Coordinates of all heavy atoms in Angstrom, one line a residue:
G7 N 67.4 109.7 98.0 CA 67.5 109.7 99.5 C 68.1 108.4 100.0 O 69.1 108.5 100.6
P8 N 67.5 107.3 99.7 CA 68.1 106.0 100.2 C 69.6 105.8 99.8 O 70.4 105.2 100.5 CB 67.2 105.0 99.8 CG 65.9 105.7 99.5 CD 66.2 107.0 99.0
A9 N 69.9 106.2 98.5 CA 71.2 105.9 98.0 C 72.3 106.6 98.7 O 73.5 106.2 98.7 CB 71.2 106.2 96.5
S10 N 72.0 107.8 99.3 CA 73.2 108.6 100.0 C 73.5 108.0 101.4 O 74.7 108.2 101.8 CB 72.7 110.0 100.1 OG 71.6 110.1 101.0
R11 N 72.8 107.3 102.0 CA 73.2 106.8 103.4 C 74.3 105.8 103.4 O 75.2 105.8 104.4 CB 71.9 106.3 104.1 CG 71.1 107.5 104.6 CD 69.9 106.9 105.5 NE 68.9 106.1 104.8 CZ 67.9 106.6 104.2 NH1 67.6 107.9 104.3 NH2 67.0 105.8 103.6
P12 N 74.3 104.8 102.5 CA 75.4 103.8 102.6 C 76.8 104.5 102.4 O 77.8 104.2 103.0 CB 75.2 102.9 101.5 CG 73.6 103.0 101.4 CD 73.3 104.3 101.6
Q13 N 76.9 105.5 101.5 CA 78.1 106.3 101.4 C 78.7 106.9 102.7 O 79.9 106.9 103.0 CB 78.0 107.4 100.2 CG 77.7 106.7 98.9 CD 77.5 107.8 97.8 OE1 77.5 109.0 98.1 NE2 77.2 107.3 96.6
T14 N 77.8 107.4 103.4 CA 78.1 108.2 104.7 C 78.7 107.1 105.6 O 79.7 107.4 106.3 CB 76.9 108.8 105.3 OG1 76.5 109.7 104.4 CG2 77.3 109.5 106.6
R15 N 78.2 105.9 105.8 CA 78.7 104.9 106.7 C 80.1 104.5 106.3 O 80.9 104.3 107.2 CB 77.8 103.7 106.7 CG 76.4 104.0 107.5 CD 75.7 102.6 107.8 NE 75.3 102.0 106.5 CZ 74.1 102.2 105.9 NH1 73.3 103.1 106.4 NH2 73.9 101.5 104.8
R16 N 80.4 104.4 105.0 CA 81.7 104.0 104.6 C 82.7 104.9 105.0 O 83.9 104.6 105.5 CB 81.7 103.8 103.1 CG 81.1 102.3 102.7 CD 81.5 102.1 101.3 NE 81.0 103.0 100.4 CZ 79.7 103.0 99.8 NH1 78.9 102.0 100.0 NH2 79.4 103.9 98.9
R17 N 82.5 106.3 104.9 CA 83.5 107.3 105.3 C 83.7 107.2 106.8 O 84.8 107.3 107.3 CB 83.0 108.7 104.9 CG 83.1 108.9 103.4 CD 83.0 110.4 103.1 NE 81.7 110.9 103.5 CZ 80.7 110.9 102.6 NH1 80.8 110.5 101.4 NH2 79.5 111.4 103.1
G18 N 82.7 107.0 107.6 CA 82.8 107.0 109.1 C 83.6 105.7 109.5 O 84.4 105.8 110.4
S19 N 83.6 104.6 108.8 CA 84.3 103.4 109.2 C 85.8 103.7 108.9 O 86.7 103.1 109.6 CB 83.9 102.2 108.5 OG 84.0 102.4 107.0
L20 N 86.2 104.5 108.0 CA 87.6 104.8 107.7 C 88.3 105.5 108.9 O 89.4 105.4 109.2 CB 87.8 105.5 106.3 CG 87.5 104.5 105.2 CD1 87.5 105.4 103.9 CD2 88.5 103.4 105.0
R21 N 87.5 106.5 109.3 CA 88.1 107.3 110.4 C 88.2 106.6 111.7 O 89.1 106.9 112.5 CB 87.3 108.6 110.7 CG 87.3 109.6 109.5 CD 86.8 110.9 109.9 NE 85.4 110.8 110.3 CZ 84.5 111.1 109.4 NH1 84.7 111.3 108.1 NH2 83.1 111.0 109.8
G22 N 87.5 105.7 112.0 CA 87.5 105.0 113.3 C 86.9 105.8 114.4 O 86.6 106.9 114.3
S23 N 86.7 105.0 115.5 CA 86.1 105.8 116.7 C 87.1 106.6 117.4 O 88.3 106.3 117.5 CB 85.5 104.7 117.6 OG 86.5 104.0 118.2
P24 N 86.7 107.7 118.1 CA 87.6 108.4 118.9 C 88.4 107.7 120.0 O 89.5 107.9 120.3 CB 86.8 109.5 119.5 CG 85.7 109.6 118.5 CD 85.4 108.2 118.0
Q25 N 87.7 106.7 120.6 CA 88.3 105.9 121.6 C 89.4 105.1 121.2 O 90.6 104.9 121.8 CB 87.2 105.0 122.3 CG 86.1 105.7 123.1 CD 85.0 106.2 122.2 OE1 85.1 106.0 120.9 NE2 84.0 106.9 122.7
L26 N 89.3 104.5 119.9 CA 90.4 103.7 119.4 C 91.6 104.6 119.1 O 92.7 104.2 119.4 CB 89.9 103.2 118.1 CG 90.9 102.2 117.3 CD1 91.2 101.0 118.3 CD2 90.3 101.7 116.1
R27 N 91.4 105.8 118.5 CA 92.6 106.7 118.3 C 93.2 107.0 119.6 O 94.5 107.2 119.6 CB 92.1 107.9 117.5 CG 91.9 107.6 116.0 CD 91.5 108.9 115.3 NE 90.1 109.2 115.6 CZ 89.7 110.5 115.8 NH1 90.6 111.4 115.7 NH2 88.4 110.7 116.1
L28 N 92.5 107.3 120.6 CA 93.2 107.7 121.9 C 93.9 106.6 122.5 O 95.1 106.8 123.0 CB 92.0 108.1 122.9 CG 92.5 108.7 124.2 CD1 93.2 110.0 123.9 CD2 91.3 109.0 125.0
R29 N 93.5 105.4 122.3 CA 94.2 104.2 122.9 C 95.5 104.1 122.1 O 96.6 103.8 122.7 CB 93.4 102.9 122.8 CG 92.2 102.9 123.7 CD 91.7 101.4 123.7 NE 90.4 101.4 124.5 CZ 89.2 101.4 123.8 NH1 89.1 101.4 122.6 NH2 88.1 101.3 124.5
F30 N 95.5 104.2 120.8 CA 96.7 104.1 120.0 C 97.7 105.2 120.4 O 98.9 104.8 120.5 CB 96.3 104.2 118.5 CG 97.5 104.1 117.6 CD1 98.1 102.9 117.3 CD2 98.1 105.2 117.1 CE1 99.2 102.8 116.5 CE2 99.2 105.2 116.2 CZ 99.7 103.9 115.9
G31 N 97.3 106.4 120.6 CA 98.3 107.5 121.1 C 98.9 107.2 122.3 O 100.1 107.4 122.5
F32 N 98.1 106.6 123.3 CA 98.7 106.3 124.7 C 99.8 105.3 124.5 O 100.8 105.3 125.2 CB 97.6 105.9 125.6 CG 96.9 107.0 126.3 CD1 95.5 107.0 126.3 CD2 97.6 108.1 126.8 CE1 94.8 108.1 126.9 CE2 96.9 109.0 127.5 CZ 95.5 109.0 127.4
V33 N 99.6 104.3 123.7 CA 100.6 103.2 123.5 C 101.8 103.8 122.9 O 102.9 103.5 123.4 CB 100.0 102.2 122.5 CG1 101.0 101.1 122.0 CG2 98.8 101.4 123.1
V34 N 101.7 104.7 121.9 CA 103.0 105.3 121.3 C 103.7 106.2 122.4 O 104.9 106.0 122.4 CB 102.6 106.2 120.1 CG1 103.8 107.0 119.6 CG2 102.0 105.4 119.0
I35 N 103.0 106.9 123.1 CA 103.6 107.8 124.2 C 104.3 106.9 125.2 O 105.4 107.2 125.7 CB 102.7 108.7 124.8 CG1 102.1 109.7 123.8 CG2 103.2 109.3 126.0 CD1 101.0 110.5 124.3
A36 N 103.7 105.8 125.6 CA 104.2 104.8 126.5 C 105.5 104.3 126.0 O 106.5 104.1 126.8 CB 103.2 103.8 126.9
M37 N 105.5 103.9 124.8 CA 106.7 103.3 124.2 C 107.9 104.3 124.2 O 109.1 104.0 124.6 CB 106.5 102.8 122.7 CG 105.5 101.6 122.7 SD 105.1 101.2 121.0 CE 106.7 100.7 120.4
V38 N 107.6 105.6 123.9 CA 108.6 106.6 123.9 C 109.2 106.8 125.3 O 110.4 107.0 125.5 CB 108.2 107.9 123.2 CG1 109.2 109.0 123.4 CG2 107.8 107.7 121.8
L39 N 108.3 107.0 126.2 CA 108.7 107.2 127.6 C 109.5 106.0 128.2 O 110.4 106.2 128.9 CB 107.5 107.5 128.5 CG 106.7 108.8 128.3 CD1 105.5 108.8 129.2 CD2 107.6 109.9 128.6
S40 N 109.2 104.9 127.7 CA 110.0 103.7 128.1 C 111.4 103.8 127.7 O 112.4 103.5 128.4 CB 109.3 102.5 127.6 OG 108.0 102.2 128.2
L41 N 111.6 104.3 126.4 CA 112.9 104.4 125.9 C 113.6 105.4 126.7 O 114.8 105.2 127.0 CB 112.8 104.8 124.4 CG 112.3 103.7 123.4 CD1 112.2 104.3 122.0 CD2 113.3 102.5 123.4
F42 N 113.0 106.6 127.0 CA 113.7 107.6 127.8 C 114.0 107.1 129.1 O 115.1 107.4 129.7 CB 112.8 108.9 127.8 CG 112.9 109.8 126.6 CD1 111.8 110.1 125.9 CD2 114.0 110.3 126.3 CE1 111.8 110.9 124.8 CE2 114.2 111.1 125.1 CZ 113.0 111.4 124.4
G43 N 113.1 106.3 129.7 CA 113.4 105.8 131.0 C 114.5 104.9 131.1 O 115.3 104.9 132.1
A44 N 114.5 104.0 130.1 CA 115.7 103.0 130.0 C 117.0 103.8 129.9 O 118.0 103.4 130.5 CB 115.4 102.0 128.9
R45 N 117.0 104.8 129.1 CA 118.2 105.6 128.9 C 118.6 106.3 130.2 O 119.9 106.4 130.6 CB 118.1 106.7 127.8 CG 119.3 107.5 127.6 CD 120.5 106.8 127.0 NE 121.6 107.6 126.6 CZ 122.7 107.2 126.4 NH1 123.0 105.8 126.6 NH2 123.7 108.0 126.0

């Protein structure tokens, strides 16, 4: 029982939180739109 819990935490840290992924996506979209806007 106790041995299985640390493994679960390590997998969760690799995926990251949903908020972090959303912020990253907005940044990428903003960069692309900036390029289109400049053109």
Side-chain angles (χ1 to χ4, degrees):
S10 64
R11 282 194 290 272
Q13 294 175 4
T14 301
R15 283 196 299 271
R16 284 195 295 272
R17 287 194 297 268
S19 65
L20 289 173
R21 289 195 299 267
S23 67
Q25 292 83 0
L26 183 60
R27 282 182 287 143
L28 186 60
R29 291 193 190 100
F30 180 76
F32 277 132
V33 171
V34 172
I35 292 172
M37 291 174 66
V38 172
L39 290 176
S40 297
L41 290 173
F42 279 120
R45 180 62 170 166

